[in-house]
Amino acid sequence: MKHLIDFQDIENAEAKKLIKYVIREKQEPRNENLSKTVVMKFDEPSTRTKVSFSTASNNLGLYQIDLTKENTSSVKGESLKDEITTLIDLDVDILVLRTSSDDKKIYDDFNEIGIISAGFGKVSHPTQALVDLSTIISNDGFDYEKPFVFCGDLKHSRVFHSAVELFPKLGIEIGICAPKEFLPKNLNNFILFENIDEAIQKSSGIEILRVQKERIDNSENFNLNNYVENFQLNKAKIDKASDKLMILHPMPMNIGIEIDKYASENFRMFHRKQLSFGIAARKVALKYSLGLI
Ligand code: CP
């Protein structure tokens, strides 16, 4: 079994293969009967990731068990290590986990179960990166000569952190556009855009990221009004964009914060296209974890 928590140890060729399989799976979905057991443990709320993992699991003929933090023995003080060892001893093949924890290393010692991140804290959401990259490169008009720009709350975004690891493996340069409190510590590997207008003009596409109010603490001095005034994607900004500009959003959207209602309904928005890759990406992730890809 293999983990899919981040892309750090995945070679470029393997990353290309994963994306190729996601696109193929979306075009020609195939049901299978793999007869393995998957535990889905979602300790944070989810709509898209949970539904698409469950559907993918059904389509692959996996037996699915749903857990949350509240209904497992972790509420009685059981450690994560004991919990995972228990799942192994009970013949679970894959653990799909959404957690608020940023710890990715704790899973290194477990080889008898595949662990897939369905969103880890601020650091990892690999299947969303597969969804986003499949959406981007299957768009005929995508221009590899220009950067793809992430706008918004980069600091708290697991979507951004997984994309940063994956997109360059397929030759896509990453741009960033955010207020200084949301910028990454190390800017070396990014093209920095001062504002959304510039990002819109000079990029192949942009992804608007949700302001993650639940992960921002008081010490960060975040000014919401300032953010909305300077970094919201709104009518004035989107109406100046090229018709070919792709705009992604991993959802859910905070209408009135990172995006206004007009922009959220604009024809340049690809968020529903992203959703159309959701089941295929999770099928590929589950098969990868089982060692079948
Ligand atoms: N994009 C995403 O992870 O959405 P959910 O939180 O609804 O799964």
Side-chain angles (χ1 to χ4, degrees), residues 33 37 45 65 129 145 188 206 215 219-220 231 243 245-247 272 286 290:
N33 190 13
T37 302
I65 298 160
E145 299 299 314
N188 286 345
I206 63 175
R215 298 186 211 282
S219 67
E220 295 182 67
F231 287 92
D243 284 359
L245 185 78
M246 307 175 71
I247 304 174
R272 293 190 66 186
L286 290 162
L290 290 168

Side-chain angles (χ1 to χ4, degrees), residues 133-145:
L133 191 48
S134 301
T135 306
I136 291 164
I137 67 169
S138 53
N139 180 27
D140 289 342
F142 184 74
D143 184 353
Y144 282 85
E145 299 299 314

Side-chain angles (χ1 to χ4, degrees), residues 4-205:
L4 183 59
I5 293 174
D6 60 35
F7 295 104
Q8 285 173 9
D9 296 328
I10 291 184
E11 302 287 333
N12 293 6
E14 189 158 33
K16 279 184 192 149
K17 192 171 75 175
L18 290 175
I19 293 293
K20 187 177 92 179
Y21 285 171
V22 173
I23 293 171
R24 193 177 71 188
E25 186 59 45
K26 178 183 177 270
Q27 287 167 345
E28 299 161 27
R30 276 192 317 152
N31 286 2
E32 298 187 46
N33 190 13
L34 300 178
S35 300
K36 302 283 184 186
T37 302
V38 55
V39 162
M40 309 257 178
K41 184 163 188 255
F42 278 65
D43 292 342
E44 287 187 336
S46 165
T47 303
R48 283 144 281 271
T49 313
K50 177 67 175 69
V51 171
S52 52
F53 261 118
S54 291
T55 306
S57 176
N58 290 341
N59 292 352
L60 291 175
L62 302 174
Y63 307 112
Q64 182 185 318
I65 298 160
D66 286 318
L67 298 178
T68 64
K69 196 161 57 181
E70 289 73 28
N71 69 10
T72 56
S73 287
S74 57
V75 291
K76 295 180 244 172
E78 184 163 61
S79 70
L80 185 64
K81 185 169 178 292
D82 282 350
E83 185 171 63
I84 295 175
T85 305
T86 301
L87 297 182
I88 292 168
D89 291 344
L90 293 174
D91 290 342
V92 172
D93 299 288
I94 301 177
L95 169 62
V96 174
L97 180 62
R98 174 165 285 198
T99 171
S100 56
S101 169
D102 288 341
D103 191 344
K104 296 191 292 179
K105 288 282 156 218
I106 195 166
Y107 309 99
D108 285 354
D109 296 338
F110 298 103
N111 303 317
E112 298 148 89
I113 187 168
I115 296 172
I116 302 176
S117 160
F120 279 13
K122 302 183 287 297
V123 295
S124 137
H125 199 348
T127 58
Q128 182 70 47
L130 292 175
V131 163
D132 295 350
L133 191 48
S134 301
T135 306
I136 291 164
I137 67 169
S138 53
N139 180 27
D140 289 342
F142 184 74
D143 184 353
Y144 282 85
E145 299 299 314
K146 292 180 179 170
F148 184 87
V149 183
F150 286 86
C151 302
D153 184 358
L154 311 177
K155 181 178 176 185
H156 305 98
S157 172
R158 50 199 179 200
V159 173
F160 174 67
H161 288 107
S162 283
V164 164
E165 292 170 356
L166 181 64
F167 284 29
K169 292 183 194 287
L170 277 87
I172 296 173
E173 198 166 20
I174 297 203
I176 52 176
C177 175
K180 63 179 182 314
E181 63 269 27
F182 285 165
L183 287 173
K185 282 199 184 88
N186 183 350
L187 300 176
N188 286 345
N189 296 321
F190 306 110
I191 301 174
L192 182 62
F193 293 89
E194 296 294 329
N195 53 60
I196 294 200
D197 285 319
E198 190 192 11
I200 283 173
Q201 297 310 320
K202 296 182 180 169
S203 66
S204 56

